[in-house]
């Protein structure tokens, strides 16, 4: 019922020329993939090349961040309005690296998610606990606080249009994937929170992606979990063959 999303987060990798080369190799590998939505999120300078290369394909292009205003004296920022104008259709919000290195907090999640929706972008909102929080048995407390602060303030109409990505920080870029069981438990916890706030219908429809060291050899077991509606993939999305293998889990 929930269509899977396989999304690649390129982080701060690749130039526009690398982007072109990636798409040349990647497009034919996934041309017949209709079982899922495919999204690639390159760094800002590569967006035009990616959008051009993805024209007429089943691949959507997203950004990795946005500012919540339309325009203004905000040096160094990029708005949802600008992303929409060039043909982006989605955006990652509050990735743990944004939280960790740039101090993004739940209030930013609300503002950015609402701005994304205002400009027709599908927000993929990231939540997830750090290693010390998991080891301190605080995973549910952390997820609850992120949900209450960042997602509960949305209207039901807004919540209906978002995607959530559960990315345990200890699994990102470490090669330590959450087991399908750990991920599914966290997804279920988030969905129960969503049901309490927005009702069973919206909660059963929201897509929750898993992110954190997803690779071609572990994606199948993760995707076998009913609760896991897709993946947000960092490192393994940089190589066309490896990301295509993940798309075709
Ligand atoms: P990773 O990154 O797949 O390299 O662990 C995932 C992410 O940060 O979205």
């Amino acid at each position: 019922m929930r269509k899977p999303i396989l999304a690649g987060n390129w982080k701060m990798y690749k130039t526009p020329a690398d982007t072109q080369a990636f798409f040349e190799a990647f497009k034919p590998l996934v041309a017949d993939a209709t079982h899922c939505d495919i999204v690639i999120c390159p760094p800002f300078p590569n967006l035009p090349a990616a959008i051009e290369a993805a024209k007429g394909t089943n691949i959507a292009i997203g950004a990795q961040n946005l500012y919540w205003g339309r325009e203004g004296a905000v040096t160094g920022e990029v708005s949802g309005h600008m992303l929409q104008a060039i043909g982006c259709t989605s955006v990652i919000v509050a990735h743990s690296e944004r939280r960790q290195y740039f101090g993004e907090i739940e209030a930013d999640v609300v503002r950015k998610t609402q701005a994304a929706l205002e400009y027709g972008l599908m927000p993929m909102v990231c939540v997830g606990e750090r290693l010390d929080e998991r080891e301190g048995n605080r995973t549910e407390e952390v997820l609850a606080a992120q949900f209450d602060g960042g997602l509960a303030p949305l209207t039901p109409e807004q919540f209906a249009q978002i995607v959530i990505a559960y990315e345990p920080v200890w699994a990102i870029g470490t090669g330590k994937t959450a087991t399908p069981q750990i991920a599914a438990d966290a997804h279920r916890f988030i969905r129960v929170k969503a049901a309490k706030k927005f009702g069973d219908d919206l909660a059963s429809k929201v897509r929750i992606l898993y992110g954190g060291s997803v690779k071609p050899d572990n994606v199948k077991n993760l995707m076998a979990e009913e609760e896991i509606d897709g993946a947000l993939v960092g490192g393994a999305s940089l190589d066309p063959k490896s990301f295509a293998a993940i798309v075709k889990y």
Side-chain angles (χ1 to χ4, degrees), residues 2 12 29 74 97 127 137 150 152 154 193 224:
R2 297 186 294 263
M12 200 170 68
L29 300 176
V74 194
E97 287 150 17
V127 296
N137 259 327
L154 301 176
K193 288 285 295 178

Side-chain angles (χ1 to χ4, degrees), residues 9 11 95 97 167 171-174 211-215 232-236:
N9 169 15
K11 308 195 178 186
H95 187 278
E97 287 150 17
E167 299 210 309
I172 295 177
T174 58
S213 297
V214 175
K215 309 281 178 223
L232 182 54
V233 185

Side-chain angles (χ1 to χ4, degrees), residues 102-245:
F102 303 97
E104 290 193 11
I105 54 170
E106 304 321 325
D108 299 311
V109 178
V110 180
R111 288 190 283 240
K112 291 186 176 199
T113 301
Q114 289 172 336
L117 293 172
E118 189 179 339
Y119 295 107
L121 305 167
M122 176 184 79
M124 296 185 278
V125 182
C126 301
V127 296
E129 80 286 1
R130 298 188 312 258
L131 182 61
D132 60 304
E133 293 165 336
R134 172 156 289 269
E135 287 178 341
N137 259 327
R138 293 182 50 222
T139 297
E140 293 192 349
E141 179 193 324
V142 169
L143 293 177
Q146 290 173 339
F147 186 93
D148 292 341
L151 299 178
L154 301 176
T155 66
E157 292 70 30
Q158 290 168 339
F159 185 78
Q161 299 172 70
I162 72 163
V163 168
I164 300 171
Y166 169 62
E167 299 210 309
V169 181
W170 48 269
I172 295 177
T174 58
K176 278 191 223 155
T177 327
T179 62
Q181 190 58 48
I182 286 179
D185 285 348
H187 287 213
R188 204 169 295 115
F189 179 79
I190 295 164
R191 208 177 291 285
V192 169
K193 288 285 295 178
K196 283 193 192 132
K197 173 67 194 176
F198 295 108
D200 288 341
D201 183 50
L202 287 186
S204 70
K205 287 182 181 146
V206 68
R207 290 181 287 184
I208 306 179
L209 316 182
Y210 167 76
S213 297
V214 175
K215 309 281 178 223
D217 62 5
N218 60 27
V219 64
K220 194 169 176 215
N221 285 342
L222 288 161
M223 291 303 292
E225 290 289 335
E226 166 88 34
E227 270 299 336
I228 301 181
D229 304 317
L232 182 54
V233 185
S237 74
L238 293 169
D239 175 72
K241 281 205 195 89
S242 114
F243 192 47

